[in-house]
Amino acid sequence: MPLLRLEGVNSFYGRSHILFDVSLDIDKGETVAILGRNGSGRTTTLKTIMGLITPNPGRVLLDGEDISGLNPYQVAKKGVSYVPEERRVFTTLTVGDNLEVAGKVGRKGHWTRERVLKTFHMLVPLLNRKGGHLSGGEQQMVAIARGIIQNPALLILDEPTEGLAPGIVKDAFSVIRTIKAQGDAAILLVEQDVKATLSLSDRVYVLGGGRIVFHGTPGELEARADIKKEHMGV
Amino acid sequence: MIWSKKDILRIGAVAALFAVLPLLLPKIGSSIPVGTEIMVWGIFAMGFNILLGGTGILSFGHAAFFGLAGYATGLLILKDRLPLVLAIPAAVLGAFLAAALIGALIIRKRGIYFAMLTIAFGQMFYFIASQWNSLTGGLDGLTGFKRTVFLGFDITPEVNFYYFVFGFFLLTLLFVKALMNSSIGKTLVAIRENVHRAEFLGIDVKKYQHFAFVVSATFSGLAGALYALLLNFAFPELLHWKTSGDAVLMSVIGGMRAFFGPLVGAGIFVFLRDIISTYTPHWALPLGAIFVIFVLFFQKGVLGIFERGNGK
């Protein structure tokens, strides 16, 4: 049984139909990327998984259980940590408090505070600093750390490197690799940096116009110049 | 440790100030009950700010819990002849239960709708108190009860009652600080900052908001019970939404993001009202002007002016 399954999902914003019969699977411990141009439905897919949008028709299954229609916090409680794009930390809380708030409500497991701080060693000197006084890259590290400290079964990263300096993008991918290597959490990655994303993903879905236009391994995608040209702009 | 060393020092300093305040107040032309009143409003405002500054929810209905406990204290002493040691907890429990019930009904509403509903519920209590003559004394208020002894301690004299309130005041400071230092308090702040992001972490936002509503209302109740005992009197204005507005005003003037902000606001409010009302019955006018000035120019309140932006 896959960890997460989207079954014929159709999602709407008001009356606009955004997703058309999207089906995808993510297995336990797997890293899956969703690629596609802006407006292809990537973020809508994530919002549907998190319960911000209820599919109609269609189902979202987590460990075989239908979670479509649950509230975002209920989805999160079932082991899905969502690291949204844009400003990501609680700015008036310290880095330590950001982790504490997330860790308390999350599940217990492999990712203890100590383990998280070992992987995110750059955060150790910043623990008492307020989120609002961090650089964009530091904020992003806090956001990913806050996601993984919850010991999710599925970690969803929405554009984790958007707007970051190249050096920090490398750091971000490096911690994502470490998380993947630990194997506890499956990762669903939505990213613009196609090359880096493909290098760490087990499987890829490409969205175009709200439909899945490709599904396969990164190697298989490499061979599909048509898909890359039409739906990814590379 | 639920309090940092810095917390203990700061709360200790405030406690020391209030411990000697009864000696100072008469020297500056004021009186001990003014100090008592500052602490009572301080309890009200500090508790209220768990909801406003801490969780980011504006209520204009907390006077309902303040007044409810005030009336309850008076009635329990007067009609049931309960000793204070039972009457005060019973009154506070009443405020707690009322808040739990009302909160459950309205907490799902957001922003302005929530604020409007708090006014509506508050005014409902106000009209009950002002119309139910046989029980509450109607518009004239409830009189005839007197604070006497609390567990053998005679709290009739002004100075004794001052130190009686001082005990509750100190406990309030310690409790609110411990709460805001705890994971729960940090979660409330996270919710204040970004409801959606908090939900994505798996936080049941409504549950926490309801919790903050009930805890803050319980302090409103404690303050209301003490206020009724200070005056030996309960009257409908205690329940009026304008009294809730006073708590908002105190929090904003003092600084709702600073721990002691609401207390500073309460101090300024009570002290200025005391001074200005000796010259003019229109004391609300200059206070209103001060409120406007703070909202326009010093949004972080008095304590915000002194705040250092060191990011700690």
Side-chain angles (χ1 to χ4, degrees):
Chain A
M1 192 198 315
L3 172 67
L4 181 83
R5 163 167 281 175
L6 268 62
E7 242 176 39
V9 162
N10 287 267
S11 292
F12 293 79
Y13 276 129
R15 295 171 79 176
S16 357
H17 199 166
I18 309 291
L19 294 183
F20 298 86
D21 293 321
V22 168
S23 293
L24 62 83
D25 283 352
I26 301 171
D27 286 329
K28 288 192 175 66
E30 199 182 22
T31 299
V32 172
I34 300 180
L35 299 173
R37 292 178 190 272
N38 284 335
S40 61
R42 296 171 308 177
T43 298
T44 307
T45 305
L46 301 188
K47 286 185 172 169
T48 306
I49 295 170
M50 287 312 296
L52 285 171
I53 302 170
T54 305
N56 181 28
R59 296 201 300 167
V60 180
L61 303 168
L62 185 71
D63 264 331
E65 182 195 349
D66 189 352
I67 60 165
S68 20
L70 293 188
N71 292 320
Y73 85 88
Q74 292 168 319
V75 175
K77 265 218 162 328
K78 289 188 179 292
V80 182
S81 281
Y82 176 41
V83 181
E85 56 179 335
E86 287 159 5
R87 283 183 64 205
R88 298 129 167 145
V89 299
F90 297 112
T91 54
T92 55
L93 291 178
T94 64
V95 171
D97 292 345
N98 265 275
L99 297 179
E100 181 183 336
V101 165
K104 187 179 173 249
V105 72
R107 312 191 304 176
K108 306 289 168 254
H110 173 82
W111 289 98
T112 58
R113 182 185 156 92
E114 289 66 38
R115 276 221 177 79
V116 169
L117 289 178
K118 212 172 140 198
T119 301
F120 294 81
H121 50 86
M122 67 295 277
L123 296 182
V124 174
L126 306 174
L127 279 174
N128 289 320
R129 191 173 298 181
K130 288 207 169 149
H133 296 256
L134 300 175
S135 72
E138 288 162 348
Q139 290 198 6
Q140 183 52 19
M141 289 300 174
V142 173
I144 301 174
R146 206 178 53 195
I148 199 64
I149 205 170
Q150 297 200 298
N151 286 288
L154 175 64
L155 177 66
I156 300 179
L157 300 171
D158 191 0
E159 308 250 6
T161 67
E162 192 192 15
L164 301 186
I168 299 162
V169 170
K170 235 178 98 191
D171 288 347
F173 275 110
S174 149
V175 297
I176 296 170
R177 257 175 233 288
T178 309
I179 292 167
K180 175 182 159 77
Q182 299 290 335
D184 298 282
I187 300 172
L188 177 57
L189 185 59
V190 167
E191 219 345 284
Q192 312 160 321
D193 186 335
V194 173
K195 208 174 141 214
T197 304
L198 290 181
S199 76
L200 64 75
S201 301
D202 301 314
R203 283 187 305 114
V204 186
Y205 289 88
V206 180
L207 277 169
R211 291 184 166 83
I212 291 188
V213 294
F214 171 85
H215 163 222
T217 64
E220 288 162 359
L221 181 61
E222 281 300 323
R224 291 290 299 272
D226 56 326
I227 294 286
K228 283 167 52 177
K229 187 161 178 245
E230 192 180 340
H231 296 290
M232 294 158 60
V234 269
Chain B
M1 190 61 190
I2 49 178
W3 300 287
S4 70
K5 214 169 165 186
K6 204 166 90 179
D7 296 336
I8 297 286
L9 283 173
R10 286 181 173 183
I11 292 174
V14 170
L17 172 70
F18 276 91
V20 298
L21 203 57
L23 303 172
L24 303 175
L25 283 169
K27 293 206 170 100
I28 56 168
S30 193
S31 62
I32 291 173
V34 170
T36 314
E37 204 175 325
I38 289 174
M39 291 191 294
V40 168
W41 289 106
I43 293 170
F44 188 17
M46 297 284 296
F48 182 76
N49 203 45
I50 295 171
L51 190 66
L52 179 64
T55 321
I57 295 178
L58 178 58
S59 162
F60 274 105
H62 272 47
F65 311 114
F66 181 79
L68 176 73
Y71 272 101
T73 305
L75 287 170
L76 288 170
I77 297 172
L78 194 63
K79 309 239 167 171
D80 299 310
R81 313 219 165 272
L82 275 190
L84 276 174
V85 68
L86 293 179
I88 295 173
V92 174
L93 181 69
F96 170 87
L97 292 174
L101 182 68
I102 292 172
L105 292 173
I106 67 175
I107 203 73
R108 283 179 194 282
K109 302 292 175 199
R110 282 168 194 254
I112 188 77
Y113 302 104
F114 178 83
M116 296 302 289
L117 281 170
T118 58
I119 294 180
F121 270 101
Q123 291 305 88
M124 210 171 78
F125 279 67
Y126 170 79
F127 284 112
I128 292 171
S130 56
Q131 303 299 320
W132 195 351
N133 282 328
S134 59
L135 184 72
T136 63
L139 286 169
D140 294 336
L142 181 71
T143 50
F145 64 92
K146 277 208 167 3
R147 60 174 198 262
T148 46
V149 289
F150 184 90
L151 289 179
F153 179 55
D154 182 8
I155 57 170
T156 317
E158 282 172 352
V159 65
N160 289 16
F161 187 64
Y162 178 95
Y163 285 105
F164 176 73
V165 173
F166 178 70
F168 287 104
F169 174 66
L170 210 53
L171 288 175
T172 301
L173 294 183
L174 289 169
F175 178 90
V176 175
K177 190 74 215 179
L179 174 68
M180 295 318 285
N181 281 349
S182 73
S183 301
I184 296 174
K186 290 165 187 170
T187 304
L188 296 179
V189 172
I191 290 169
R192 178 191 81 204
E193 258 202 51
N194 194 319
V195 168
H196 293 300
R197 202 167 300 146
E199 280 182 336
F200 289 146
L201 292 179
I203 293 166
D204 186 348
V205 166
K206 293 299 165 195
K207 196 176 84 185
Y208 278 88
Q209 289 176 331
H210 190 197
F211 170 82
F213 185 80
V214 173
V215 172
S216 62
T218 305
F219 281 106
S220 304
L222 174 62
L226 296 173
Y227 196 54
L229 292 173
L230 171 68
L231 305 178
N232 291 319
F233 183 35
F235 48 99
E237 275 69 27
L238 297 183
L239 298 144
H240 199 273
W241 70 267
K242 283 187 282 187
T243 305
S244 305
D246 289 344
V248 178
L249 203 126
M250 290 170 196
S251 299
V252 171
I253 288 180
M256 61 185 185
R257 294 292 154 79
F259 175 68
F260 289 114
L263 173 59
V264 171
I268 292 172
F269 182 88
V270 173
F271 207 65
L272 281 184
R273 191 186 59 188
D274 188 50
I275 293 171
I276 299 169
S277 60
T278 55
Y279 298 104
T280 165
H282 305 296
W283 56 268
L285 192 64
L287 266 175
I290 291 170
F291 180 70
V292 169
I293 289 168
F294 270 91
V295 170
L296 286 179
F297 303 110
F298 307 104
Q299 283 184 7
K300 288 181 168 180
V302 172
L303 292 186
I305 298 170
F306 301 109
E307 192 184 73
R308 285 165 299 154
N310 60 2
K312 297 288 172 184

